[in-house]
Amino acid sequence: MTLSAAQIGRCGELMVQYQLLARGIESSPMSTDTGIDLVAYSPVSRVPLTIQVKTNLAPRPAGGTGPGALNWTVDHHSPAQIIALVDMSEGGQIWLFTLDEFRREAQQDRAPDGSKYKRNRSLHMYVVATDHVRSDGKRRYKSEFAHFALEKRVAELFHLPASPVPPTELSSDLSRNDDERI
């Protein structure tokens, strides 16, 4: 079965919602596409945050024939406060960036019509392991973005204490009833 682009995008949104809810953060999808996919609310910070979710089903060969890479493009003027990048392959992984962080980390600026006005920013990650460091200091390998992983960023962005439950144990922890967790 092949998933449509809309289905892949919705899967990414649901993955983000699940991971946020498992950490006590409520979120809800928007009913129309305005550049914001989710609105999230932490009862600790009491501040809603808007999230745009971008999802890749799997890495693709860079340049058509190169090593596997993930690529996400976000409008430079996105109204979202947080950009969530989702990789659905290998069990799934999510990275969280503020809009300003995404703009800084993006390796490419692109104008849809080729004009000087840069409308879109693209960020890509090679999935191969390497020790290579770019001369311009830009990150490009998946391992270099580890500090943007959802499990490392959610406490900072939503003003929460660090999660006492490792992400790999969330599903088993959630299967217990509330009385067992107390």
Side-chain angles (χ1 to χ4, degrees):
M1 171 188 255
T2 303
L3 295 176
S4 70
Q7 290 171 320
I8 293 168
R10 187 67 183 123
C11 285
E13 291 170 12
L14 289 168
M15 287 175 66
V16 171
Q17 283 190 278
Y18 168 75
Q19 290 295 329
L20 291 176
L21 186 57
R23 290 164 172 83
I25 299 168
E26 300 285 339
S27 65
S28 183
M30 299 295 288
S31 56
T32 58
D33 186 3
T34 60
I36 296 171
D37 297 308
L38 303 171
V39 176
Y41 178 79
S42 164
V44 174
S45 67
R46 296 180 179 226
V47 176
L49 293 174
T50 57
I51 303 172
Q52 183 173 33
V53 180
K54 295 294 187 174
T55 307
N56 276 246
L57 182 60
R60 297 183 183 165
T65 59
L70 301 164
N71 186 64
W72 300 273
T73 300
V74 173
D75 188 310
H76 180 74
H77 299 288
S78 171
Q81 295 164 292
I82 297 173
I83 307 297
L85 305 181
V86 179
D87 172 14
M88 288 179 50
S89 66
E90 300 178 21
Q93 189 166 2
I94 302 167
W95 297 269
L96 298 178
F97 297 80
T98 65
L99 182 58
D100 286 339
E101 289 169 341
F102 185 89
R103 289 174 180 155
R104 271 194 311 273
E105 296 292 334
Q107 295 96 343
Q108 295 176 346
D109 291 335
R110 293 188 348 209
D113 61 0
S115 68
K116 289 183 180 180
Y117 173 71
K118 305 296 187 194
R119 180 172 167 176
N120 296 320
R121 301 261 177 148
S122 292
L123 187 145
H124 60 270
M125 295 180 195
Y126 291 112
V127 295
V128 296
T130 183
D131 292 332
H132 180 270
V133 177
R134 286 176 54 143
S135 60
D136 63 4
K138 288 268 190 183
R139 295 180 237 297
R140 67 187 307 177
Y141 295 97
K142 191 174 177 179
S143 60
E144 295 176 307
F145 290 93
H147 63 284
F148 289 105
L150 179 140
E151 58 271 15
K152 295 183 179 178
R153 294 298 310 278
V154 74
E156 171 193 352
L157 294 171
F158 290 92
H159 308 287
L160 302 175
S163 175
V165 181
T168 55
E169 296 177 21
L170 279 175
S171 60
S172 63
D173 184 58
L174 292 174
S175 67
R176 299 186 309 211
N177 67 39
D178 286 336
D179 294 336
E180 290 174 322
R181 279 187 255 166
I182 296 176

